[in-house]
Amino acid sequence: MVLTNPNITLAGSIGSGKSTVGQILAERLKCEFISIGKIFRSIGKSSNLDTLQTNLAAESNADIDRKVDDFIVQRAQSDTPFIMDSRMAWHFVPKSLKVYLYASPKTAVNRVYTDKSRETEKYSSRGIALDHILDRRKSELARYRRLYDVDIDDIDNYDLFVVTDGAKPTEIAQLILRCLSPSTSSKSWIKPSQLVPMMTAATIDKPPVNEDSVQRNTLAALILQLFDGYGFVFHGGSQLATILKDEDFFVPFIDQESEEASFEQNLIKQAALLGDEHFADWEHLVGPKIALKREIFGDESHLLNQGDL
């Protein structure tokens, strides 16, 4: 999608970096950044409500959302381009690059829990923060479905889907700017550091291509199964090996969702059963560390015993 004077709307998971990325984009494109989340929080703050309480209040008081949405519609009528962080701007600003930023629950918790700028979102523990995030998202999904008959988590609503786990805000902003170009047509992107090889390195029929020869804009989309911020790859070992050697940027992917929810829930456990030697073989082949390995066998392995984390 190419826009001459781009309006960019940012939606997605709580804690996915929408505001930070939006500010970077606005600075680079020399245009206004509008945080609807900030406006929404200020409405709640005036009534001594935190963010979750404001969301719950909006479930029974449609005027809260209508006030915010009317502002979006009016701003969209201006010829001056803008970057907007909003749950519903993709719906009210159709002539925009509509971006969805995804963050897994554990990444969202870490970001929200350590973000000192969220005055109405202070938590005594990561567990409480997780409960708050899940409850808040459930409230948002129900509210917008009732008000507008839309699913804000439906990826088909957006032009671009970015997995932000393992990525810096500047990298995400750089990717979005690249996707304003006609030479970039892929929709879904993930960092190579989040890819998990589920086939053995011994099955690769040719060595990885030197990263200097990889044309990022012409990479074929990698087929994977996305779960919890990781892309589990079952086929295409040589392609994956080449991609993993260039870990610093994003690669396009196609999410081959499983019809069995239990299968997705067990992906991390399946990876753990492959053993440390499996990942060591891949690291020896491609160089970079495999991110999931640190969670399964390293200091963060306790995260596997915390339910939704």
Side-chain angles (χ1 to χ4, degrees):
M1 182 176 188
V2 184
L3 301 170
T4 305
N5 291 310
N7 290 327
I8 300 176
T9 54
L10 303 171
S13 308
I14 298 167
S16 59
K18 298 181 295 297
S19 294
T20 304
V21 171
Q23 291 173 33
I24 295 171
L25 288 171
E27 181 178 343
R28 294 188 180 179
L29 292 172
K30 307 299 181 185
C31 62
E32 181 185 11
F33 171 66
I34 304 168
S35 173
I36 297 302
K38 187 175 182 179
I39 295 173
F40 192 81
R41 286 191 290 272
S42 69
I43 293 174
K45 190 175 181 181
S46 65
S47 301
N48 294 317
L49 301 176
D50 64 23
T51 309
L52 175 58
Q53 290 169 335
T54 307
N55 274 275
L56 295 175
E59 288 185 5
S60 57
N61 182 5
D63 288 341
I64 295 176
D65 278 305
R66 299 294 185 192
K67 183 185 298 185
V68 173
D69 297 338
D70 286 346
F71 169 82
I72 297 175
V73 172
Q74 291 175 10
R75 182 61 182 84
Q77 294 174 352
S78 169
D79 292 330
T80 307
F82 58 83
I83 313 296
M84 186 177 289
D85 159 19
S86 164
R87 302 285 186 269
M88 286 296 297
W90 62 270
H91 181 71
F92 293 112
V93 192
K95 292 184 179 180
S96 66
L97 179 68
K98 298 177 280 292
V99 181
Y100 187 104
L101 301 183
Y102 167 85
S104 66
K106 70 174 182 298
T107 294
V109 166
N110 288 334
R111 290 173 178 170
V112 171
Y113 185 73
T114 58
D115 187 351
K116 305 302 181 183
S117 67
R118 295 173 181 258
E119 296 181 2
T120 60
E121 297 178 72
K122 305 295 183 183
Y123 310 103
S124 58
S125 71
R126 282 179 167 78
I128 292 174
L130 175 63
D131 290 340
H132 181 107
I133 287 173
L134 296 177
D135 288 345
R136 179 177 156 195
R137 193 60 177 179
K138 182 178 179 181
S139 171
E140 291 174 347
L141 287 166
R143 195 166 82 247
Y144 294 125
R145 186 175 288 112
R146 186 185 70 253
L147 285 174
Y148 304 111
D149 192 28
V150 297
D151 179 0
I152 58 174
D153 275 352
D154 185 350
I155 304 308
D156 289 338
N157 294 325
Y158 306 94
D159 303 306
L160 189 61
F161 175 80
V162 183
V163 178
T164 67
D165 293 75
K168 298 176 183 178
T170 51
E171 294 174 323
I172 301 167
Q174 183 182 354
L175 171 65
I176 294 171
L177 292 173
R178 277 185 59 211
C179 289
L180 291 172
S181 165
S183 63
T184 306
S185 58
S186 296
K187 177 171 184 173
S188 300
W189 298 81
I190 189 171
K191 288 276 288 186
S193 60
Q194 297 303 114
L195 298 174
V196 183
M198 299 296 285
M199 78 293 287
T200 65
T203 63
I204 295 178
D205 57 1
K206 55 185 177 179
V209 178
N210 185 285
E211 59 265 30
D212 292 337
S213 67
V214 174
Q215 299 297 316
R216 288 170 172 169
N217 285 344
T218 59
L219 279 174
L222 190 66
I223 307 297
L224 55 78
Q225 288 187 296
L226 182 66
F227 177 70
D228 204 30
Y230 294 104
F232 295 83
V233 186
F234 291 84
H235 306 285
S238 296
Q239 179 190 14
L240 175 61
T242 296
I243 288 172
L244 286 174
K245 287 180 69 65
D246 190 19
E247 65 172 342
D248 290 334
F249 206 67
F250 289 86
V251 292
F253 73 91
I254 296 173
D255 184 10
Q256 194 173 49
E257 298 179 6
S258 171
E259 296 181 359
E260 300 180 26
S262 60
F263 179 78
E264 286 193 345
Q265 296 293 331
N266 288 320
L267 280 173
I268 291 180
K269 292 181 180 179
Q270 290 180 50
L273 291 174
L274 293 173
D276 180 60
E277 185 177 346
H278 170 84
F279 293 103
D281 287 344
W282 273 92
E283 289 173 353
H284 178 73
L285 178 72
V286 301
K289 298 293 183 181
I290 306 297
L292 185 64
K293 178 186 174 182
R294 295 194 296 273
E295 240 180 60
I296 296 176
F297 303 106
D299 294 337
E300 300 177 40
S301 59
H302 64 281
L303 292 177
L304 297 176
N305 300 317
Q306 295 188 16
D308 291 306
L309 287 179

